[in-house]
Amino acid sequence: MSLALAPVDERVDMEANLPCRKFDPDLWFADAPAELELAKSLCGDCPLRVECLAGAVERAEPWGVWGGEIFERGAVVPRKRPRGRPRKEDVARDAALRVEVEARMAANGLAESRNAVRLAA
């Protein structure tokens, strides 16, 4: 059974406990990297975080924050870079963050979906 299709826990009060319902939904689809990082942090305590992430992986979401991860062009990215050429230290930090994202995906049971999830370089 797919995590995205798993039944929702009846005890979860959808309107009260989901950060994407309490805050402006545009925050999860913002252009500014700082706003996307804020959305990621708000997802941290969400009771449906794993299901949300699994569903986004299955659908290959083209953009936005889903389950505490940033999707860009259907790939999970460690962070959204601002426009322009990245600095050398940013490239090194992105490599370290990519390892962290892979670890979080594995911790959420999405390691077997590695072929379905493309981590952006």
Side-chain angles (χ1 to χ4, degrees):
M1 173 166 56
S2 167
L3 284 176
L5 301 176
V8 176
D9 188 347
E10 311 296 321
R11 297 170 293 169
V12 176
D13 180 4
M14 292 302 221
E15 295 300 318
N17 293 326
L18 302 181
C20 56
R21 305 285 179 159
K22 289 195 286 190
F23 298 95
D24 181 8
D26 290 340
L27 183 63
W28 276 260
F29 300 96
D31 287 328
E35 290 178 349
L36 292 176
E37 290 300 323
L38 174 60
K40 278 176 57 174
S41 70
L42 291 172
C43 290
D45 294 329
C46 180
L48 297 178
R49 185 177 56 80
V50 173
E51 292 87 354
C52 178
L53 179 58
V57 167
E58 279 185 20
R59 294 185 305 272
E61 283 293 338
W63 69 84
V65 175
W66 297 90
E69 300 294 343
I70 298 173
F71 282 74
E72 189 172 291
R73 291 185 219 123
V76 175
V77 295
R79 69 180 184 88
K80 181 171 174 136
R81 288 189 279 201
R83 299 184 104 183
R85 185 175 179 184
R87 296 181 168 180
K88 289 181 182 178
E89 61 266 14
D90 289 344
V91 172
R93 182 178 52 204
D94 284 350
L97 286 172
R98 211 170 7 266
V99 170
E100 182 183 327
V101 167
E102 288 176 359
R104 284 197 308 259
M105 297 286 284
N108 287 323
L110 297 172
E112 65 275 356
S113 299
R114 178 80 169 108
N115 294 335
V117 177
R118 184 174 54 88
L119 295 176

